Amino acid sequence: MARGNEQRGGGGDNRRDRNRGNQADDRADSDIVEKLVHINRVAATVKGGRRFSFAALMVVGDQKGRVGFGHGKAREVPEAIRKATEEAKKTMIRVPLRESRTLHHDGNGRWGAGKVMVRSAPPGTGVIAGGPMRAVLETLGVQDVVGKSVGSSNPYNMVRATFEALKAQSSPRQVAAKRGKKVADVLGRKADGAAAAAADGE
């Protein structure tokens, strides 16, 4: 009997540990915002006729500088969304933000025929972008940004092009580390250049 109680007690501890792990995962997932960008019904021609399924494109982010996207396909819409969400969480990237509200600099992204431009903006501008680009920027946590798509309107290409533009973003700290300088030197030189350009314009 004692041995049986010990075994049962050990199993209870394991279950408690697993429950704690699940609660931690739930807390981590609760901070992530999920957005359905596009859902499409696709058909595969098989021997007996056509087999229909659904393809979903999801974007997820913590609105603090991390964002990811995923694609999932299944016979039912909820299952396709679940697959896409899982893939998006696995492929999240971190993007440096300035003052936790906008991008550090302008950028361009291209994927196939999709071309996008993103520009940093002053406070109060808001998210000026539409469709898939807006979903990506909002889940990323950007509050002031101007985005424009000048290529294909295919949502898959637009999302991938937007991610290419975001991957090219770099903060002054990263630039200073690459160049072996201090952050103040990089920012100071930039400010001096702007002042010289303004003086030349006047």
Side-chain angles (χ1 to χ4, degrees), residues 1 53 56 66 75 79 90 96-97 124 128 139 169 194-195 201:
M1 287 294 291
S53 57
R66 292 178 67 227
R75 299 291 294 273
E79 181 66 12
K90 290 177 184 176
L97 299 179
I128 301 178
T139 52
Q169 289 288 314

Side-chain angles (χ1 to χ4, degrees), residues 21-170:
N22 291 337
Q23 288 172 1
D25 293 341
D26 291 342
R27 280 196 297 272
D29 291 345
S30 64
D31 296 335
I32 293 179
V33 178
E34 304 170 0
K35 287 193 181 235
L36 176 63
V37 176
H38 184 69
I39 192 155
N40 187 31
R41 192 178 78 162
V42 295
T45 303
V46 294
K47 189 175 180 181
R50 282 184 165 185
R51 181 183 297 160
F52 292 98
S53 57
F54 295 91
L57 177 63
M58 292 288 295
V59 172
V60 303
D62 61 359
Q63 296 187 325
K64 296 176 184 176
R66 292 178 67 227
V67 67
F69 76 97
H71 170 254
K73 190 161 68 171
R75 299 291 294 273
E76 301 293 335
V77 174
E79 181 66 12
I81 292 175
R82 186 189 65 78
K83 286 182 179 180
T85 304
E86 285 184 0
E87 182 183 333
K89 288 178 181 177
K90 290 177 184 176
T91 60
M92 292 179 75
I93 63 170
R94 182 168 292 281
V95 180
L97 299 179
R98 187 175 71 194
E99 301 170 2
S100 300
R101 62 165 188 85
T102 189
L103 303 175
H104 279 285
H105 56 82
D106 302 350
N108 298 315
R110 179 170 182 170
W111 186 277
K115 301 176 189 175
V116 301
M117 296 184 298
V118 289
R119 308 187 74 174
S120 57
T125 303
V127 179
I128 301 178
M133 282 188 71
R134 186 180 190 88
V136 173
L137 295 170
E138 284 182 347
T139 52
L140 175 62
V142 181
Q143 299 171 16
D144 303 299
V145 67
V146 177
K148 186 169 180 63
S149 172
V150 293
S152 168
S153 60
N154 183 318
Y156 290 88
N157 284 348
M158 285 180 67
V159 167
R160 287 187 169 98
T162 306
F163 268 79
E164 290 300 309
L166 294 176
K167 286 177 185 176
Q169 289 288 314
S170 57

